[in-house]
Amino acid sequence: AVNINALLNAMAAILPYVEALIGGMNFFDTNYEDNGYLSYWGERAVTEGSASIIALLQAIAAILPSVETLIGRPVDLFDGSDPANGFLGYWAERVVAEGSAKIIALLNAMAGIINEVEDLIGEVDFFDTNYEDNGFLTFWAEYALTNGVQHTKNVLSNMKNILDNDFDNNGTPEVEELIGPVDLFDNNYDDNGFITYWAEHALTQGVNNVNRGLYIWKRLLPHVEAYEGRNLNLFIGNDAGILSFWMDEVLKLINQNGLGLEEAIQEIIKRLSEGKTLASFLYNTADNIADFFQEGIGIDPVTGLPYSWITFTKEGKIYQPEYTSISDIGMYIVSLVSLLKLDKLSQQELELTISQLLDTLNTMQTYSPASGQYQGKTYFFNYYDLPSKDVTINTFLSSVDNANLLMGLILAREACPNLAGSLQELIDKIDLGFFYDQSEHLFLGGYNYNHLNGTITPSGYHYGIMNSETRLLTYLALGKGDMTQAEALLNWQALATNMLKIYGIDVVASYGGSLFEFLFPALFIDEAQLSPNGFGLNFKKAVLIHKLQAIENGYPFWGEAPCYNDIYEYREFGSPAGLNPYPSSGMLSPYTVLLSYNAVQEGGDLIQLIENLYQGSINSQFGLIDAIDVNNDLGIYLNTSLLQGIALAAITNSLNNGIRGLFAGSLEYARIAEFISNTAFFDETGLNSELTSVRNTINDSIATGAWQKAEALFNYFKDLVTAYGKQALFPDLAQIEANLRQAIEEDLSQLYDEAQNLFNLEDYQEAITAFQTILYYDASYKNVKELLYLARGERDANVIIPNLDTLLTAFEDGTRPNAYISKIGPVDGPNGSIDVSIVSDKDKTQGKVLKLDYKLQPGGFNGIYMNIDGLSLSNTGKLVFDIKGDSSVGIPSKIKIELHPEGSSWPYPSIEIDNITEDWQTIEIDLSAFVSALGANFKLEQIAIMLEGDKVGNNQGAIYIDNIGFQE
């Protein structure tokens, strides 16, 4: 029995809260509902405690309006049989546990989306014992709390549309033909996730485009699986990405070539049946790049920071520098996010690595202004020593490099919501306004920091060209709010957009004409789509100019940009599409082709061809190599952290738009996108005039046998005629194409005969170039690939390699590191200059040799160094090498050979060599002839070959060196 006194006390305690629910109590009327209601709660208060019941009554009062709105009627609090009381009680208990604000928001969200949910799954019964519909509604209400009610309503509507859509009217929705029947209530969430992904995708792409895309997926799926040789699991990112890649190929044919849907699908099915693929190749490339970012390979195990680059021997021995840069760190972060988007890194692994990186960044030496507008802000120096993290190489604060780090941090913030707060704190500290010169409306290159007194001085230059990688500064400063919209517009107007006419093509120039300058920011923002008559068209022009330059110079492939050269020294290469053109030298960089594919879908076939002809150039053991020296048929086997990040971002965008799509969801993007979309460089009148001129040039080129030029121009011409709908202006398009195809067929046959003749004449290097050119235009042409490999074999077989006890290098692999030599480079001393390169010697028995082309004045010196990996030697042996001079430019009277033993310092043991002639001769030097400081046994760390202005005699000249080694 209930203790009456306890009950009365409990009723007294809860009375105000009951009256707040049902109004004032009348204890003496004959309507006992209010008395009974108070007694019910009083009895519960006796057993559960007054405080508990008061909290529950307060919760009921707080949520009652929201519950009644949701269920569409009043709750009868006095009717114990009204199921709404139980529903109300359930949510009131959740209020007690979780707080009223959250539960009210959730109930309001449920009310806001109930119509769309019921359209999707049928009427929701709040009171039955089947909780599937309630659970479904609750899930999406929680989703709405994060993403907004209207956003959620749109997603649910899209889900309904996708689930009902039968694009081809065959009786079954496309989505169920792809993944089977969809059960929205089971415990297998794969189908729910699949539908949700596409419903969210439809918010930006349009639900009709998504439905068409799923139809394309369905049509292509069996053919892609046949090509891959396995079934695809569409719930796995890699497999779905492969199918998305092929869908995008269909859409390109529709949007760029003007094909109809079925026509485009059949063309891709044909390609698949012929074995032409790119998606799987790109995924495999990403796997190898991921291997670069392993501790002890591309990552310093102490700090977790990336090495700026690595080199590696054929046997896998790795050499690393002792430094990194902030651009390297920024692109490492981009790489990690790319690997997440490719399902090659888990969310947990990404967040752990980013957290560790953030901890490291927060302990690195930085510069913070002590006063003024940017007091307390944080700026990173360009280079840091590894593993100490000390500032090294210089004390420069670079604007564009800080921007590259910022981009990585913003992408990490978008990909790692659990770390967003910590990342945003650092993002806010890097205020790019610090680098902005308001008097010029341009960004400074940066500041030079004086470590002695802590002062800074601005660099003597600004970034003044729009078509440069440095436009990322404007984008990020505007997006972050580091500069106002008005100031950003002034900056944009101040940037040079000089128009040049190159090979008959109007192009808005970059600084040096490199594809990196044109295309790098398009890794993060789809500039071509946002600005089709600005960046989009200009990108295509820049790529075309690189193609025409390669044809003019006799290179089989195109794509030049800053990279490491054949002696692993960083150099800038470009094209005439620059205001200050960088030279073209045949150092073609695979990363530029990936940039082109990312920006304007140019070069997909070339990416694979380069790997086929230079195995390990793109799919090397540790990712993408820096360049290919096509003049000498050599790969430059150095892998930079920066280029791995570029390659991974380009691959991710090409497969699922992962990097650009992620950034497009950021707060920074909206301002930037509007800014870019207002940019246009070309008008219709100019485009019509150029297309007319290009058409005439194509016809002239076909008539004069310049078929390569004609082919490059025609692809550009056809692309623009189709994209801009100008077929009526150029009704002869089909006839020009037919004439060109006939010319290519005839001229490829002629080039094939010429290449065979060169091979028969043992002019192997020229034959190799001709064979590679044929393969660029037709990768399966006759037996050309077999002849190419045969020519390489014959060329190499002619080379005589000396039989030395220790052969340091014969240069047949260029300056690729080996078990002895980690690096070869120039000693660029005062009063002169030196150019060091690998060349193919005219004497075929020498093969590849090292050339030193020098200029010197009295008192000057230069030469080369070779870093040796601790080679143990005896002073009873001999140093052996081959040498000759070049009489056409000058032969030095003397050169000096220096040996740098372990632990030694200048002056080093040395000996002078004279009597160099224009004929090859083998020099043998007794090690005992060097200064006795060598000792009986020693470890060699470096060899230097030096030219001194007071002794060379001819102050300009060249020497060639080959086959360096030691004989016991």
Side-chain angles (χ1 to χ4, degrees):
V2 175
N3 182 295
I4 296 301
N5 286 331
L7 178 59
L8 289 171
N9 289 335
M11 291 169 66
I14 67 172
L15 177 60
Y17 305 98
V18 169
E19 288 187 322
L21 269 174
I22 65 174
M25 295 283 298
N26 186 340
F27 292 103
F28 310 116
D29 63 9
T30 57
N31 176 13
Y32 303 121
E33 287 180 334
D34 51 356
N35 289 334
Y37 193 75
L38 177 61
S39 296
Y40 167 78
W41 286 108
E43 289 173 355
R44 287 191 60 176
V46 170
T47 57
E48 300 174 40
S50 294
S52 174
I53 297 305
I54 288 170
L56 195 57
L57 289 167
Q58 287 178 312
I60 291 173
I63 66 170
L64 182 59
S66 297
V67 167
E68 291 182 332
T69 299
L70 176 60
I71 65 175
R73 66 174 176 82
V75 179
D76 188 342
L77 298 175
F78 304 134
D79 184 357
S81 64
D82 183 357
N85 278 302
F87 187 78
L88 179 63
Y90 165 79
W91 286 105
E93 289 174 353
R94 286 193 59 175
V95 166
V96 172
E98 302 173 43
S100 61
K102 176 181 176 181
I103 299 305
I104 290 171
L106 186 60
L107 289 166
N108 291 341
M110 291 168 71
I113 66 172
I114 183 68
N115 291 334
E116 285 72 23
V117 167
E118 290 188 328
D119 282 344
L120 183 60
I121 65 172
E123 184 179 357
V124 176
D125 187 337
F126 294 106
F127 313 125
D128 63 7
T129 56
N130 176 13
Y131 304 121
E132 288 177 337
D133 50 359
N134 285 312
F136 190 84
L137 176 61
T138 304
F139 169 84
W140 284 104
E142 290 172 342
Y143 177 94
L145 293 183
T146 302
N147 298 283
V149 169
Q150 188 57 53
H151 176 94
T152 306
K153 288 160 68 78
N154 294 339
V155 170
L156 290 164
S157 295
N158 288 342
M159 290 174 69
K160 168 70 172 173
N161 193 308
I162 292 168
L163 278 168
D164 288 348
N165 182 67
D166 181 8
F167 192 89
D168 54 2
N169 297 310
N170 70 348
T172 306
E174 266 63 42
V175 69
E176 295 200 341
E177 289 188 80
L178 280 166
I179 64 173
V182 175
D183 186 340
L184 296 176
F185 306 124
D186 63 9
N187 292 324
N188 175 15
Y189 303 121
D190 285 340
D191 51 359
N192 284 356
F194 189 85
I195 299 295
T196 303
Y197 169 83
W198 285 109
E200 290 174 331
H201 199 61
L203 296 177
T204 55
Q205 300 300 312
V207 71
N208 291 333
N209 287 331
V210 165
N211 286 330
R212 180 181 65 167
L214 290 172
Y215 169 71
I216 296 170
W217 268 37
K218 182 195 74 173
R219 291 289 307 281
L220 296 181
L221 180 59
H223 304 282
V224 173
E225 288 182 331
Y227 176 82
E228 294 289 328
R230 62 185 177 86
N231 292 329
L232 298 183
N233 183 345
L234 300 185
F235 305 130
I236 296 175
N238 276 11
D239 287 4
I242 289 174
L243 203 51
S244 287
F245 169 84
W246 287 110
M247 177 186 71
D248 288 343
E249 293 296 297
V250 170
L251 296 178
K252 287 175 197 172
L253 292 176
I254 294 171
N255 297 329
Q256 298 177 14
N257 292 19
L259 272 62
L261 175 61
E262 293 304 319
E263 188 180 10
I265 289 173
Q266 288 302 323
E267 174 61 28
I268 296 304
I269 290 173
K270 180 182 176 184
R271 287 191 201 175
L272 286 163
S273 66
E274 293 172 350
K276 295 179 180 178
T277 186
L278 183 58
S280 295
F281 174 80
L282 293 175
Y283 271 115
N284 291 337
T285 299
D287 283 333
N288 286 343
I289 295 175
D291 289 339
F292 175 93
F293 294 111
Q294 302 296 315
E295 284 193 359
I297 300 174
I299 302 299
D300 171 48
V302 177
T303 63
L305 297 176
Y307 296 108
S308 193
W309 49 265
I310 68 169
T311 57
F312 58 95
T313 70
K314 288 181 177 179
E315 297 74 30
K317 184 176 182 178
I318 300 168
Y319 296 101
Q320 299 129 333
E322 295 180 343
Y323 65 89
T324 190
S325 78
I326 54 170
S327 279
D328 295 328
I329 299 169
M331 290 309 294
Y332 173 39
I333 296 172
V334 173
S335 298
L336 292 169
V337 176
S338 297
L339 292 171
L340 172 77
K341 291 296 182 178
L342 294 173
D343 285 337
K344 299 181 185 297
L345 192 70
S346 71
Q347 183 73 35
Q348 183 179 7
E349 290 170 323
L350 174 67
E351 292 189 356
L352 176 62
T353 306
I354 295 296
S355 178
Q356 292 170 340
L357 271 173
L358 194 55
D359 288 343
T360 299
L361 285 167
N362 287 329
T363 62
M364 291 165 66
Q365 182 182 346
T366 56
Y367 172 76
S368 293
S371 61
Q373 180 180 355
Y374 301 102
Q375 182 177 358
K377 298 296 184 180
T378 296
Y379 302 98
F380 288 82
F381 293 94
N382 243 21
Y383 295 99
Y384 292 87
D385 181 76
L386 295 177
S388 72
K389 298 182 291 184
D390 294 335
V391 176
T392 189
I393 300 180
N394 59 46
T395 55
F396 190 61
L397 300 161
S398 164
S399 58
V400 72
D401 290 282
N402 271 277
N404 290 341
L405 175 61
L406 257 177
M407 179 55 79
L409 293 171
I410 291 171
L411 288 170
R413 181 199 66 201
E414 295 299 301
C416 303
N418 292 330
L419 301 175
S422 300
L423 286 161
Q424 188 62 47
E425 185 177 345
L426 182 54
I427 290 167
D428 289 340
K429 286 181 179 179
I430 307 175
D431 189 327
L432 294 176
F434 173 68
F435 297 104
Y436 188 64
D437 183 346
Q438 291 192 350
S439 65
E440 298 288 339
H441 302 302
L442 295 172
F443 282 94
L444 289 162
Y447 293 92
N448 294 293
Y449 174 77
N450 187 327
H451 66 89
L452 297 177
N453 58 23
T455 61
I456 58 171
T457 54
S459 63
Y461 61 93
H462 296 81
Y463 291 125
I465 296 177
M466 184 178 292
N467 270 297
S468 168
E469 76 278 10
T470 58
R471 66 181 176 274
L472 200 60
L473 279 164
T474 306
Y475 293 161
L476 292 181
L478 173 63
K480 287 180 72 251
D482 295 348
M483 65 193 312
T484 66
Q485 184 90 13
E487 192 60 59
L489 183 59
L490 290 173
N491 169 239
W492 206 240
Q493 293 169 342
L495 293 173
T497 54
N498 299 60
M499 189 82 73
L500 302 178
K501 188 175 287 291
I502 309 296
Y503 301 120
I505 302 299
D506 292 324
V507 62
V508 178
S510 73
Y511 181 82
S514 80
L515 287 179
F516 173 73
E517 295 169 307
F518 284 100
L519 305 177
F520 176 70
L523 288 173
F524 312 108
I525 306 165
D526 196 343
E527 296 171 297
Q529 183 183 55
L530 291 169
S531 171
N533 291 331
F535 291 112
L537 184 50
N538 208 54
F539 291 165
K540 294 180 179 182
K541 291 170 177 284
V543 173
L544 172 63
I545 288 168
H546 272 258
K547 290 180 179 180
L548 294 172
Q549 172 179 261
I551 292 167
E552 181 179 67
N553 292 337
Y555 308 147
F557 320 122
W558 52 270
E560 294 191 73
C563 65
Y564 284 85
N565 64 9
D566 49 4
I567 59 165
Y568 299 171
E569 294 291 319
Y570 188 76
R571 293 290 183 267
E572 291 164 325
F573 305 105
S575 76
L579 296 180
N580 296 282
Y582 297 138
S584 168
S585 70
M587 290 290 167
L588 306 185
S589 297
Y591 84 93
T592 62
V593 186
L594 283 167
L595 279 173
S596 302
Y597 193 74
N598 171 81
V600 288
Q601 292 76 55
E602 288 269 10
D605 291 341
L606 179 55
I607 294 169
Q608 292 173 279
L609 179 63
I610 290 173
E611 173 61 24
N612 287 336
L613 301 186
Y614 294 92
Q615 291 186 4
S617 57
I618 293 175
N619 273 333
S620 79
Q621 186 176 356
F622 305 119
L624 191 83
I625 69 171
D626 233 63
I628 294 163
D629 178 1
V630 296
N631 294 309
N632 295 296
D633 195 31
L634 287 172
I636 311 304
Y637 288 91
L638 179 144
N639 300 42
T640 63
S641 180
L642 185 74
L643 297 198
Q644 308 317 305
I646 288 175
L648 272 176
I651 288 169
T652 306
N653 286 333
S654 299
L655 292 170
N656 58 33
N657 205 39
I659 293 300
R660 289 193 299 219
L662 185 66
F663 185 67
S666 70
L667 293 173
E668 291 82 1
Y669 175 79
R671 296 174 186 166
I672 300 169
E674 180 182 357
F675 198 68
I676 295 171
S677 63
N678 293 326
T679 300
F681 304 137
F682 308 98
D683 58 28
E684 187 169 4
T685 300
L687 180 60
N688 289 344
S689 175
E690 180 177 279
L691 287 174
T692 300
S693 175
V694 169
R695 177 188 60 186
N696 296 337
T697 302
I698 293 168
N699 288 329
D700 291 343
S701 298
I702 293 172
T704 57
W707 58 278
Q708 293 174 260
K709 179 179 179 180
E711 198 264 356
L713 287 169
F714 179 78
N715 289 339
Y716 170 79
F717 175 72
K718 181 180 179 181
D719 179 14
L720 298 192
V721 168
T722 303
Y724 287 89
K726 296 186 176 296
Q727 292 88 340
L729 287 178
F730 302 100
D732 54 347
L733 177 66
Q735 185 58 54
I736 295 173
E737 185 167 19
N739 295 342
L740 175 62
R741 298 304 160 218
Q742 182 179 351
I744 290 175
E745 184 178 343
E746 294 171 354
D747 290 323
L748 274 180
S749 178
Q750 181 179 342
L751 183 58
Y752 177 78
D753 293 339
E754 292 173 0
Q756 283 190 309
N757 187 50
L758 289 167
F759 179 88
N760 294 332
L761 293 173
E762 299 184 0
D763 194 345
Y764 297 120
Q765 188 56 51
E766 291 297 322
I768 288 167
T769 300
F771 288 139
Q772 289 179 329
T773 301
I774 294 170
L775 292 171
Y776 174 78
Y777 292 94
D778 187 344
S780 58
Y781 193 84
K782 296 183 179 180
N783 61 338
V784 169
K785 189 174 289 187
E786 291 79 4
L787 289 173
L788 169 65
Y789 293 135
L790 185 60
R792 284 173 167 170
E794 291 294 325
R795 175 199 63 192
D796 297 342
N798 281 337
V799 177
I800 299 173
I801 305 295
N803 184 22
L804 299 176
D805 292 313
T806 302
L807 179 66
L808 294 183
T809 179
F811 298 108
E812 296 315 301
D813 288 323
T815 55
R816 182 171 185 173
N818 56 44
Y820 303 112
I821 296 182
S822 60
K823 180 97 168 53
I824 295 175
V827 177
D828 204 354
N831 299 328
S833 62
I834 190 162
D835 180 37
V836 182
S837 60
I838 300 294
V839 300
S840 297
D841 190 61
K842 294 179 181 179
D843 185 342
K844 296 181 178 62
T845 61
Q846 294 290 145
K848 306 291 192 306
V849 300
L850 189 69
K851 180 182 180 182
L852 280 65
D853 197 334
Y854 69 90
K855 290 181 181 178
L856 277 172
Q857 297 300 321
F861 65 87
N862 52 39
I864 63 162
Y865 67 85
M866 289 173 279
N867 288 344
I868 312 296
D869 194 25
L871 177 62
S872 296
L873 294 171
S874 165
N875 68 3
T876 61
K878 294 180 179 180
L879 169 64
V880 182
F881 60 93
D882 296 339
I883 189 169
K884 75 170 183 177
D886 188 340
S887 59
S888 66
V889 290
I891 300 175
S893 301
K894 288 183 180 179
I895 65 170
K896 183 169 70 173
I897 311 297
E898 293 180 351
L899 299 186
H900 302 182
E902 187 178 80
S904 63
S905 60
W906 190 88
Y908 300 104
S910 63
I911 192 168
E912 292 181 339
I913 303 295
D914 54 15
N915 296 322
I916 301 168
T917 69
E918 62 182 345
D919 297 318
W920 283 106
Q921 56 182 310
T922 299
I923 304 295
E924 296 184 359
I925 304 171
D926 289 337
L927 295 182
S928 59
F930 285 87
V931 178
S932 59
L934 285 178
N937 297 286
F938 61 96
K939 282 190 174 181
L940 187 63
E941 289 188 338
Q942 193 175 79
I943 298 175
I945 299 175
M946 304 299 297
L947 298 143
E948 297 179 341
D950 296 330
K951 297 180 179 180
V952 292
N954 190 324
N955 294 109
Q956 179 175 348
I959 57 173
Y960 303 84
I961 297 170
D962 197 13
N963 299 329
I964 304 172
F966 292 95
Q967 189 72 45
E968 293 181 1

